[in-house]
Amino acid sequence: MPERRTVALVTLGCARNEVDSEELAGRLAADGWELVEDASDADVAVVNTCGFVEAAKKDSVDALLEANDLKDHGRTQAVVAVGCMAERYGKELAEALPEADGVLGFDDYADISDRLQTILSGGVHASHTPRDRRKLLPISPAERQDASGVALPGHGAAEQPAPAPADLPEGLAPASGPRPPLRRRLDAGPVASVKLASGCDRRCSFCAIPSFRGSFISRRPSDVLGETRWLAEQGVKEIMLVSENNTSYGKDLGDIRLLETLLPELAAVDGIERIRVSYLQPAEMRPGLIDVLTSTEKVAPYFDLSFQHSAPQVLRAMRRFGDTDRFLGLLDQIRAKAPQAGARSNFIVGFPGETEEDLAELERFITHARLDAIGVFGYSDEDGTEAAGYEGKIDPEVVAERLAHISQLAEELTAQRAEERLGETVEVLVDRIDEEDGPVGRGAHQAPETDGQTLLTGAAEAVPGRIVIAKVVATEGVDLVAEPLPLESGACTQGAAR
C-alpha cells in the first residue's frame, strides 16, 4: 500500500492564483497526494505567493514563515513557495528566505508531484532561475498558439501529449485536448474562476506582471467551455472569467471579438446562473462587447475597468490612454444600455510627477463616475519597471497623505453609490449562511471578496447557490440589505434556476 502523502495549498493574491492552485491540486491528487485544508495537517505546505506590490510580497513572506513554524510542532515537514513571487525572484527569494525548503517556478508546475516528493524525501531541487517570460513566446500574437514547451499556469501543460487517465479520481476535471489541465476544487462555494488567458502585451510603466507572467495568450474556447461545464457539474453557479486583460481575448486566435461570441455559449451551460467578466481595459472596450455584457441573459452587466488614473499627464507617463471625460463617456455608454450596471476600478496615487492639479483631476473623475467599488494604492517602485527609473519621485509622506485622502473620498462615494440602489430589484446569489446575519450573497454588481455583499432578511429558504430576487431596503457602507420579493414575483428560485 503506497505511503500516505499529504499536502496543503495556501493561496495568496488574486483569483488567477486561485485557479493556478486548483490546477496544482488536480495534478497532485491525480498522482496520489491527499489534499488537506489545514497546513498543520500536511506533510508539505505549498504557499502560492503573490508578487504584485510590496504589501502582497510581505504577506507572502509572512505566510511562508508561518508555515515554517509548523515544522516545530505539527506534521509539516517541508514548506515550498510557488506562484508569482517565486517566479519573479526565484533564487533570490530562496537565499533571502532559507526557511523555504523549495522555490518553484511556473516551469515546475507540470512536474509538481515529483518536485514535492524530492523535497519531502530530503533531496534538493535547484531553486527557480527567473527570466523574462515575455521572450518565451513569439512577438506576433498569431504565432503564439503553436508555441510549445512554455508553461502557462491555468492552461495545463501542452508540451507532452498524453492520453487521459481512464479513471480520474473523484472531483478532478475531465480531459480535453492533448494534455489537459487537471483541476481540483479547493472551495466548495458556488462561485469559481476560470482562466480566459494568461500574460499581458501592455507595457504600463508601473507594472512588472508581464515580465513574470509573459506575453498574452488566449485559451481556446473549447477548453474554457469544457472547464465551465465541469465546474457546473461540481455545483458551481457563478463563473468569473479572469486573466491579466480579458478585452484582448482572441487576438491571438484570429478574432478580437471572440469574447462576444463565447459569452452566450458559457451562459447556456446547464447549471450556470451567472457569468462575470473581470479585468477589462478601457482603451480596448468595444461597442459590441458592451452590448453583449449588458444584454445577454445570465451575463452580469459588470465592468471591472482598469482606469488607474484620469489625469492625462499621469496616464501618458503610465503608458496608458484616456482622460476624465473619455472615461466618463464610456461609463455613460454602459449605463445608457444598463442603468443598474456595476462598475469598479483601481487607482494609483503619488505616481512620479503627479501634481496637485493631477490629483484634483482624479478627484473630479471619481466624484462623477459613480463607481460601486474603488481600490486605491499609493505608488511605490517595482523592480524592473520603467517608472522605477523616472525622475520626479514624490516624497513617501506626501504619497501617504494623498492615499489617505483619496481612500476616504472613495469610501464616501461608494457608500453614496450603494444608497442610490435603494429600491432597486437585485438578483442575489447566496454565497453562504452566516450564523448572525443569515443568508449572505452578492448582486450582479458585486464580485466576490472585492465589491461588498448583500445581506438578505427573511429569506429562510435561501441556500448557497440559490438566486434570490430581492429589493434593496438599506445599506451599510458598500454593502446592501435586501428583502426577498414575494414568491409569486419569483423571489426565491428553485435550485438556482429562474
Side-chain angles (χ1 to χ4, degrees):
M1 185 173 181
E3 182 182 357
R4 180 173 180 251
R5 302 176 299 175
T6 58
V7 59
L9 286 128
V10 179
T11 307
L12 294 93
C14 65
R16 293 163 297 197
N17 256 16
E18 293 172 5
V19 175
D20 295 349
S21 284
E22 292 198 348
E23 178 190 295
L24 292 173
R27 294 182 182 280
L28 290 166
D31 203 43
W33 289 78
E34 180 182 341
L35 297 166
V36 296
E37 185 174 343
D38 194 328
S40 63
D41 297 328
D43 297 316
V44 183
V46 177
V47 179
N48 192 347
T49 61
C50 178
F52 181 38
V53 293
E54 285 303 318
K57 288 183 277 189
K58 181 181 183 303
D59 288 344
S60 295
V61 170
D62 289 345
L64 287 163
L65 293 173
E66 183 178 340
N68 182 69
D69 289 342
L70 297 174
K71 290 192 285 189
D72 295 330
H73 50 77
R75 178 188 176 100
T76 309
Q77 301 174 50
V79 175
V80 176
V82 299
C84 291
M85 189 176 181
E87 174 66 35
R88 185 176 180 183
Y89 294 104
K91 290 182 177 180
E92 182 182 344
L93 176 62
E95 292 170 0
L97 198 70
E99 291 86 353
D101 299 286
V103 176
L104 307 181
F106 296 151
D107 294 331
D108 292 306
Y109 282 21
D111 300 306
I112 187 67
S113 178
D114 290 343
R115 300 288 186 266
L116 296 191
Q117 185 58 57
T118 296
I119 294 168
L120 183 61
S121 301
V124 177
H125 180 73
S127 296
H128 163 67
T129 300
R131 53 181 171 169
D132 188 339
R133 297 193 74 86
R134 289 172 293 192
K135 299 178 181 179
L136 302 183
L137 290 168
I139 294 176
S140 170
E143 298 175 3
R144 292 175 189 166
Q145 290 289 327
D146 296 328
S148 61
V150 178
L152 299 169
H155 292 227
E159 68 277 0
Q160 293 290 334
D167 296 305
L168 290 173
E170 183 180 355
L172 289 184
S176 63
R179 186 176 178 184
L182 294 174
R183 180 168 179 172
R184 180 71 171 252
R185 292 211 70 202
L186 297 173
D187 181 353
V191 184
S193 295
V194 172
K195 190 166 283 193
L196 199 60
S198 288
C200 185
D201 287 341
R202 303 184 72 87
R203 293 296 179 262
C204 301
S205 62
F206 58 84
C207 184
I209 289 176
S211 66
F212 57 84
R213 278 289 184 179
S215 298
F216 184 89
I217 184 165
S218 305
R219 292 183 72 191
R220 293 193 174 274
S222 57
D223 293 337
V224 178
L225 276 164
E227 190 167 330
T228 298
R229 293 188 182 107
W230 175 78
L231 287 166
E233 293 170 359
Q234 304 298 305
V236 170
K237 299 301 178 184
E238 177 177 331
I239 292 295
M240 187 163 72
L241 300 178
V242 300
S243 76
E244 279 73 21
N245 178 9
N246 280 334
T247 34
S248 283
Y249 180 69
K251 73 174 186 179
D252 52 323
L253 294 171
D255 185 2
I256 191 59
R257 294 178 176 82
L258 192 56
L259 183 56
E260 286 97 301
T261 57
L262 176 61
L263 284 171
E265 294 185 64
L266 292 171
V269 172
D270 288 342
I272 296 299
E273 288 300 313
R274 181 183 287 162
I275 303 291
R276 185 182 303 278
V277 184
S278 60
Y279 304 108
L280 301 171
Q281 287 291 340
E284 298 180 34
M285 289 300 294
R286 309 174 289 276
L289 180 56
I290 294 174
D291 287 344
V292 171
L293 288 170
T294 54
S295 65
T296 306
E297 185 179 4
K298 296 187 179 181
V299 173
Y302 174 80
F303 293 82
D304 176 14
L305 295 160
S306 177
F307 290 123
Q308 303 297 345
H309 212 284
S310 72
Q313 171 187 299
V314 177
L315 286 167
R316 301 306 174 268
M318 289 178 169
R319 297 204 177 278
R320 298 178 65 82
F321 306 94
D323 55 48
T324 296
D325 293 332
R326 290 183 188 180
F327 291 164
L328 290 175
L330 173 59
L331 291 169
D332 286 343
Q333 291 178 47
I334 292 167
R335 289 171 176 142
K337 295 181 177 295
Q340 294 184 358
R344 79 167 324 276
S345 192
N346 294 325
F347 299 92
I348 298 172
V349 297
F351 193 79
E354 181 191 61
T355 64
E356 291 291 343
E357 290 75 17
D358 294 328
L359 193 68
E361 187 68 2
L362 176 58
E363 284 190 49
R364 182 169 80 89
F365 173 65
I366 64 173
T367 299
H368 291 89
R370 296 169 56 229
L371 298 173
D372 293 279
I374 297 174
V376 188
F377 300 89
Y379 173 82
S380 62
D381 288 338
E382 282 296 314
D383 299 334
T385 62
E386 181 181 353
Y390 280 0
E391 296 180 355
K393 297 288 175 60
I394 297 173
D395 186 280
E397 291 186 2
V398 176
V399 174
E401 290 173 0
R402 293 181 181 182
L403 174 61
H405 172 64
I406 297 296
S407 296
Q408 181 178 353
L409 178 61
E411 185 176 344
E412 295 170 356
L413 291 169
T414 51
Q416 291 174 17
R417 176 63 183 133
E419 290 176 356
E420 291 180 20
R421 294 191 179 276
L422 286 170
E424 282 188 3
T425 298
V426 291
E427 295 186 356
V428 181
L429 178 72
V430 180
D431 286 328
R432 68 185 192 280
I433 307 298
D434 187 87
E435 291 184 4
E436 295 183 3
D437 296 323
V440 180
R442 293 166 295 102
H445 70 286
Q446 296 170 316
E449 299 182 3
T450 60
D451 300 344
Q453 58 192 15
T454 299
L455 310 178
L456 288 169
T457 63
E461 296 184 7
V463 295
R466 178 167 290 185
I467 284 186
V468 176
I469 311 301
K471 180 179 179 180
V472 179
V473 296
T475 65
E476 298 176 2
V478 297
D479 296 338
L480 305 181
V481 179
E483 290 181 352
L485 293 176
L487 288 176
E488 57 266 23
S489 300
C492 197
T493 62
Q494 296 298 315
R498 287 178 180 76

